[in-house]
Amino acid sequence: MTDLADLEAGLTGRVAAAPDTAALEAIRVEALGKTGAVSALLKSLGSMSPDERKTQGPLINGLRDRVAAAIAGRKTELEAAELDARLAAGRLDLSLPAPPRRRGAVHPTMQVMDEMIAIFADMGFALAEGPDIEDDFHNFTALNFPPKHPAREMHDTFFLNPGPDGERKLLRTHTSPVQVRTMQKTNTPPGASWIAAGQSPPIRIISPGRTYRMDSDATHTPMFHQIEGLVIDREIHMGHLKWTLDQFIARFFELESVVTRFRPHHFPFTEPSAEMDVQCDTSGGEVKIGQGTEWSEIVGCGMVHPNVLLSCGIDPDEWQGFAFGFGVDRLGRLKYGMPDLRDMFASDTRWLSHYGFSAFAAPNPASGLS
Ligand code: PHE
């Protein structure tokens, strides 16, 4: 065997045996790289005599071509094998059970809000909102609270620290300031589009939202939710109020009809004022609305006090109307039977998955809205 044949046999043997592309590359550099054995042979052609070059040229070039072809062939083989190995190693085991997925639920208060809004929307009420942080004027003064009313005490209401001008803001104690903001055409802050835009009568709005009082026991939490209603027109009277509340209560509790009663009460912003009770039965340990001989208090209401209309620039000789305020959480407890109000805001996900609602359910089958 000549030296060239030895070299070729050695190189092609090693190429065929190269275990991976890295080893193959090392062989390629060794043979065909700048300082490789085959490259050196090719370079040596330059110093040969023309005759010698004639015989050696084709031999050396042939050797270079065959070695290069062997390397390219082996490279394709190795790359395919390496790809197969990577694919095999990265295969997903689709038979593995997926980890359990926890589904969120709609909080009962939000569900009840939606149900209530759907019923009132169906009755033609528009939605109005206002800020949680209120001033004394909208929360108290415009609503005819006397200067020394107990709700203005620190132990009843959450007051914020006084501002530079000495004004003490507060967390609204009810959603009634929204009726003031709605009736006060001129007092809507510019840009606050979520705040009820002021309007002239006739007015028919509900305002849902959070409210705050310094209270905490099984039936009171420092933060709770109310829906306020306000209707102002020329001839609105208590008969309209009673019909509206009766309709609402029957639909909310999904009853054909319902027995209610007005009980005289006092609110500074309504005259006359009343609380409405609904017929119920508590003998079985839970409250059943719409049957039995007992009464459950359900909503505060009354005819808007003329002083409130005057505070808002509405002439009480021309316009009158009613207002009501529901406790949303309390209504939810009556309908869905949660025993302790405090649990509703404890953020315990076990409680939520027990009492929560599917996000895909319609607000209320009785509402007529879907
Ligand atoms: N704002 C009253 C409260 O929070 C409820 C209410 C609203 C009463 C409207 C009468 C009219 O207790």
Side-chain angles (χ1 to χ4, degrees):
M1 261 207 194
T2 63
D3 287 352
L4 283 186
D6 276 351
L7 181 62
E8 182 171 343
L11 283 174
T12 50
R14 283 172 61 205
V15 166
D20 52 39
T21 49
L24 183 66
E25 176 63 8
I27 299 168
R28 189 193 67 76
V29 172
E30 203 181 299
L32 304 173
K34 252 192 199 152
T35 56
V38 178
S39 308
L41 283 172
L42 285 165
K43 263 185 226 152
S44 71
L45 284 174
S47 54
M48 287 181 192
S49 68
D51 279 354
E52 224 177 345
R53 198 178 303 140
K54 229 181 204 163
T55 53
Q56 290 298 310
L59 294 178
I60 294 174
N61 277 318
L63 164 67
R64 195 258 329 266
D65 292 348
R66 286 188 299 280
V67 169
I71 289 174
R74 181 68 183 146
K75 189 170 179 198
T76 310
E77 253 172 53
L78 285 173
E79 278 176 351
E82 283 171 14
L83 180 64
D84 282 351
R86 269 211 310 281
L87 289 177
R91 178 177 301 162
L92 288 179
D93 182 356
L94 297 179
S95 66
L96 205 64
R101 259 178 85 172
R102 294 184 51 186
R103 267 224 207 115
V106 174
H107 191 286
T109 293
M110 291 302 118
Q111 168 75 18
V112 172
M113 280 271 200
D114 287 349
E115 292 179 12
M116 295 176 75
I117 290 170
I119 298 170
F120 282 120
D122 213 22
M123 292 167 108
F125 282 80
L127 210 63
E129 290 187 291
D132 287 19
I133 297 177
E134 262 300 0
D135 51 39
D136 182 275
F137 177 79
H138 290 94
N139 197 79
F140 292 130
T141 306
L143 288 162
N144 199 36
F145 278 77
K148 291 261 175 272
H149 192 279
R152 288 184 137 128
E153 299 287 337
M154 296 288 281
H155 56 256
D156 273 330
T157 297
F158 294 105
F159 284 96
L160 277 68
N161 289 334
D165 55 359
E167 190 197 352
R168 269 190 330 170
K169 298 253 189 200
L170 52 93
L171 296 181
R172 65 178 175 191
T173 59
H174 49 182
T175 37
S176 303
V178 183
Q179 55 165 286
V180 176
R181 287 186 179 277
T182 306
M183 290 190 283
Q184 262 188 326
K185 271 208 303 276
T186 50
N187 241 18
T188 310
S193 58
W194 52 279
I195 295 178
Q199 64 178 99
S200 316
I203 292 169
R204 183 163 42 178
I205 54 135
I206 51 162
S207 63
R210 286 188 209 99
T211 48
Y212 308 83
R213 285 181 206 174
M214 269 202 209
D215 241 347
S216 184
D217 58 38
T219 55
H220 297 90
T221 47
M223 188 279 304
F224 57 106
H225 299 79
Q226 287 191 338
I227 288 192
E228 177 97 359
L230 174 73
V231 174
I232 303 286
D233 209 330
R234 290 178 201 277
E235 287 170 0
I236 293 292
H237 53 70
M238 280 195 83
H240 297 124
L241 171 61
K242 180 156 167 50
W243 181 88
T244 304
L245 294 177
D246 280 358
Q247 286 289 309
F248 168 79
I249 291 165
R251 288 174 77 171
F252 180 76
F253 288 103
E254 293 165 41
L255 302 166
E256 279 299 311
S257 63
V258 73
V259 182
T260 58
R261 70 173 185 193
F262 275 143
R263 196 166 20 78
H265 198 74
H266 171 75
F267 298 107
F269 35 89
T270 45
E271 183 58 40
S273 301
E275 278 187 336
M276 184 178 252
D277 297 337
V278 62
Q279 170 195 24
C280 72
D281 176 13
T282 58
S283 59
E286 53 182 282
V287 188
K288 292 208 185 82
I289 302 290
Q291 46 186 283
T293 53
E294 295 160 86
W295 297 101
S296 178
E297 177 221 318
I298 204 152
V299 55
C301 56
M303 298 303 293
V304 178
H305 196 292
N307 285 350
V308 176
L309 296 174
L310 281 173
S311 305
C312 300
I314 292 179
D315 181 358
D317 290 332
E318 193 180 346
W319 304 99
Q320 60 183 32
F322 64 74
F324 56 82
F326 279 102
V328 177
D329 317 285
R330 176 180 158 72
L331 225 53
R333 267 161 34 84
L334 285 177
K335 183 166 174 180
Y336 296 113
M338 284 74 88
D340 192 318
L341 194 61
R342 287 167 299 193
D343 292 339
M344 295 187 88
F345 309 116
S347 301
D348 184 334
T349 51
R350 292 165 304 176
W351 185 91
L352 263 174
S353 54
H354 180 77
Y355 285 109
F357 290 81
S358 162
F360 302 108
N364 183 355
S367 79
L369 282 186
S370 53

